[in-house]
mmCIF file of all heavy atoms in Angstrom:
data_model
loop_
_atom_site.group_PDB
_atom_site.id
_atom_site.type_symbol
_atom_site.label_atom_id
_atom_site.label_comp_id
_atom_site.label_asym_id
_atom_site.label_seq_id
_atom_site.Cartn_x
_atom_site.Cartn_y
_atom_site.Cartn_z
ATOM 1 N N VAL B 29 -12.693 -24.574 113.485
ATOM 2 C CA VAL B 29 -12.717 -23.161 113.885
ATOM 3 C C VAL B 29 -13.949 -22.465 113.320
ATOM 4 O O VAL B 29 -14.257 -22.583 112.131
ATOM 5 C CB VAL B 29 -11.452 -22.431 113.393
ATOM 6 C CG1 VAL B 29 -11.440 -21.002 113.947
ATOM 7 C CG2 VAL B 29 -10.194 -23.176 113.821
ATOM 8 N N ARG B 38 -20.943 -27.839 110.806
ATOM 9 C CA ARG B 38 -21.647 -29.040 111.273
ATOM 10 C C ARG B 38 -21.432 -30.210 110.325
ATOM 11 O O ARG B 38 -21.277 -31.348 110.758
ATOM 12 C CB ARG B 38 -23.139 -28.757 111.418
ATOM 13 C CG ARG B 38 -23.410 -27.874 112.614
ATOM 14 C CD ARG B 38 -24.847 -27.438 112.646
ATOM 15 N NE ARG B 38 -25.000 -26.414 113.663
ATOM 16 C CZ ARG B 38 -25.912 -26.436 114.615
ATOM 17 N NH1 ARG B 38 -26.770 -27.424 114.690
ATOM 18 N NH2 ARG B 38 -25.963 -25.472 115.495
ATOM 19 N N ALA B 47 -15.689 -40.620 110.451
ATOM 20 C CA ALA B 47 -14.411 -41.267 110.120
ATOM 21 C C ALA B 47 -13.628 -41.671 111.358
ATOM 22 O O ALA B 47 -12.878 -42.645 111.333
ATOM 23 C CB ALA B 47 -13.565 -40.342 109.248
ATOM 24 N N HIS B 57 -12.941 -18.146 116.890
ATOM 25 C CA HIS B 57 -11.888 -17.382 116.202
ATOM 26 C C HIS B 57 -11.115 -16.445 117.113
ATOM 27 O O HIS B 57 -10.005 -16.035 116.793
ATOM 28 C CB HIS B 57 -12.494 -16.593 115.031
ATOM 29 C CG HIS B 57 -13.443 -15.518 115.462
ATOM 30 N ND1 HIS B 57 -13.163 -14.186 115.325
ATOM 31 C CD2 HIS B 57 -14.657 -15.593 116.060
ATOM 32 C CE1 HIS B 57 -14.179 -13.482 115.815
ATOM 33 N NE2 HIS B 57 -15.090 -14.309 116.259
ATOM 34 N N PHE B 75 -18.747 -18.000 104.748
ATOM 35 C CA PHE B 75 -18.491 -16.651 104.233
ATOM 36 C C PHE B 75 -18.014 -15.801 105.408
ATOM 37 O O PHE B 75 -18.704 -14.882 105.851
ATOM 38 C CB PHE B 75 -19.751 -16.077 103.579
ATOM 39 C CG PHE B 75 -20.229 -16.924 102.435
ATOM 40 C CD1 PHE B 75 -21.069 -18.001 102.646
ATOM 41 C CD2 PHE B 75 -19.771 -16.673 101.144
ATOM 42 C CE1 PHE B 75 -21.472 -18.814 101.597
ATOM 43 C CE2 PHE B 75 -20.169 -17.478 100.086
ATOM 44 C CZ PHE B 75 -21.024 -18.554 100.305
ATOM 45 N N ALA B 100 0.978 -25.309 112.776
ATOM 46 C CA ALA B 100 1.445 -25.811 111.472
ATOM 47 C C ALA B 100 2.970 -25.846 111.431
ATOM 48 O O ALA B 100 3.570 -26.795 110.909
ATOM 49 C CB ALA B 100 0.887 -24.948 110.340
ATOM 50 N N ASP B 101 3.606 -24.812 112.013
ATOM 51 C CA ASP B 101 5.075 -24.769 112.035
ATOM 52 C C ASP B 101 5.652 -25.941 112.838
ATOM 53 O O ASP B 101 6.753 -26.403 112.559
ATOM 54 C CB ASP B 101 5.570 -23.448 112.652
ATOM 55 C CG ASP B 101 5.379 -22.273 111.705
ATOM 56 O OD1 ASP B 101 5.139 -22.515 110.503
ATOM 57 O OD2 ASP B 101 5.450 -21.116 112.160
ATOM 58 N N ASN B 111 -13.870 -21.676 101.920
ATOM 59 C CA ASN B 111 -13.433 -20.453 102.587
ATOM 60 C C ASN B 111 -12.173 -20.725 103.422
ATOM 61 O O ASN B 111 -11.302 -19.857 103.564
ATOM 62 C CB ASN B 111 -14.567 -19.915 103.464
ATOM 63 C CG ASN B 111 -14.350 -18.498 103.970
ATOM 64 O OD1 ASN B 111 -14.788 -18.151 105.057
ATOM 65 N ND2 ASN B 111 -13.673 -17.656 103.208
ATOM 66 N N ASN B 129 -14.331 -16.543 90.209
ATOM 67 C CA ASN B 129 -14.472 -17.552 89.164
ATOM 68 C C ASN B 129 -14.392 -16.885 87.786
ATOM 69 O O ASN B 129 -14.938 -15.794 87.596
ATOM 70 C CB ASN B 129 -15.819 -18.268 89.272
ATOM 71 C CG ASN B 129 -15.919 -19.104 90.532
ATOM 72 O OD1 ASN B 129 -14.911 -19.448 91.141
ATOM 73 N ND2 ASN B 129 -17.145 -19.434 90.927
ATOM 74 N N VAL B 143 -7.176 -37.537 92.098
ATOM 75 C CA VAL B 143 -6.190 -37.604 93.179
ATOM 76 C C VAL B 143 -4.802 -37.710 92.553
ATOM 77 O O VAL B 143 -4.500 -38.665 91.846
ATOM 78 C CB VAL B 143 -6.471 -38.824 94.084
ATOM 79 C CG1 VAL B 143 -5.417 -38.933 95.183
ATOM 80 C CG2 VAL B 143 -7.869 -38.733 94.676
ATOM 81 N N ALA B 146 -1.290 -40.454 96.341
ATOM 82 C CA ALA B 146 -2.022 -41.186 97.385
ATOM 83 C C ALA B 146 -1.158 -41.410 98.624
ATOM 84 O O ALA B 146 -1.575 -42.084 99.554
ATOM 85 C CB ALA B 146 -2.504 -42.525 96.833
ATOM 86 N N ARG B 156 -3.718 -43.386 93.434
ATOM 87 C CA ARG B 156 -3.247 -42.299 92.581
ATOM 88 C C ARG B 156 -4.025 -42.351 91.259
ATOM 89 O O ARG B 156 -4.200 -43.417 90.679
ATOM 90 C CB ARG B 156 -1.750 -42.471 92.311
ATOM 91 C CG ARG B 156 -1.178 -41.379 91.473
ATOM 92 C CD ARG B 156 0.343 -41.355 91.543
ATOM 93 N NE ARG B 156 0.836 -40.273 90.706
ATOM 94 C CZ ARG B 156 1.255 -40.453 89.463
ATOM 95 N NH1 ARG B 156 1.323 -41.640 88.935
ATOM 96 N NH2 ARG B 156 1.645 -39.408 88.741
ATOM 97 N N VAL B 159 -10.604 -40.915 90.628
ATOM 98 C CA VAL B 159 -11.469 -39.746 90.520
ATOM 99 C C VAL B 159 -12.616 -39.901 91.510
ATOM 100 O O VAL B 159 -13.182 -40.992 91.624
ATOM 101 C CB VAL B 159 -12.031 -39.619 89.086
ATOM 102 C CG1 VAL B 159 -13.019 -38.463 88.984
ATOM 103 C CG2 VAL B 159 -10.886 -39.424 88.098
ATOM 104 N N ALA B 165 -19.172 -25.057 95.818
ATOM 105 C CA ALA B 165 -20.140 -23.995 96.115
ATOM 106 C C ALA B 165 -19.341 -22.747 96.452
ATOM 107 O O ALA B 165 -19.061 -22.464 97.605
ATOM 108 C CB ALA B 165 -21.036 -24.406 97.285
ATOM 109 N N LEU B 178 3.661 -22.086 90.442
ATOM 110 C CA LEU B 178 2.962 -23.258 89.896
ATOM 111 C C LEU B 178 3.966 -24.353 89.537
ATOM 112 O O LEU B 178 3.756 -25.535 89.834
ATOM 113 C CB LEU B 178 2.144 -22.872 88.658
ATOM 114 C CG LEU B 178 0.940 -21.956 88.919
ATOM 115 C CD1 LEU B 178 0.356 -21.463 87.601
ATOM 116 C CD2 LEU B 178 -0.128 -22.666 89.738
ATOM 117 N N LEU B 215 -1.008 -28.824 98.714
ATOM 118 C CA LEU B 215 -0.424 -29.242 99.990
ATOM 119 C C LEU B 215 0.766 -28.358 100.349
ATOM 120 O O LEU B 215 1.422 -27.784 99.478
ATOM 121 C CB LEU B 215 0.084 -30.680 99.865
ATOM 122 C CG LEU B 215 -0.978 -31.770 99.690
ATOM 123 C CD1 LEU B 215 -0.387 -32.949 98.919
ATOM 124 C CD2 LEU B 215 -1.503 -32.218 101.049
ATOM 125 N N PHE B 245 -11.458 -38.323 104.830
ATOM 126 C CA PHE B 245 -11.490 -38.230 106.286
ATOM 127 C C PHE B 245 -10.967 -39.515 106.933
ATOM 128 O O PHE B 245 -10.311 -39.472 107.971
ATOM 129 C CB PHE B 245 -12.911 -37.890 106.743
ATOM 130 C CG PHE B 245 -13.378 -36.576 106.175
ATOM 131 C CD1 PHE B 245 -14.199 -36.533 105.057
ATOM 132 C CD2 PHE B 245 -12.943 -35.379 106.723
ATOM 133 C CE1 PHE B 245 -14.590 -35.317 104.511
ATOM 134 C CE2 PHE B 245 -13.328 -34.159 106.187
ATOM 135 C CZ PHE B 245 -14.158 -34.142 105.072
#
Side-chain angles (χ1 to χ4, degrees):
Chain B
V29 186
R38 288 172 190 231
H57 66 111
F75 300 86
D101 286 345
N111 193 212
N129 293 340
V143 178
R156 182 164 180 263
V159 176
L178 292 171
L215 292 152
F245 300 99

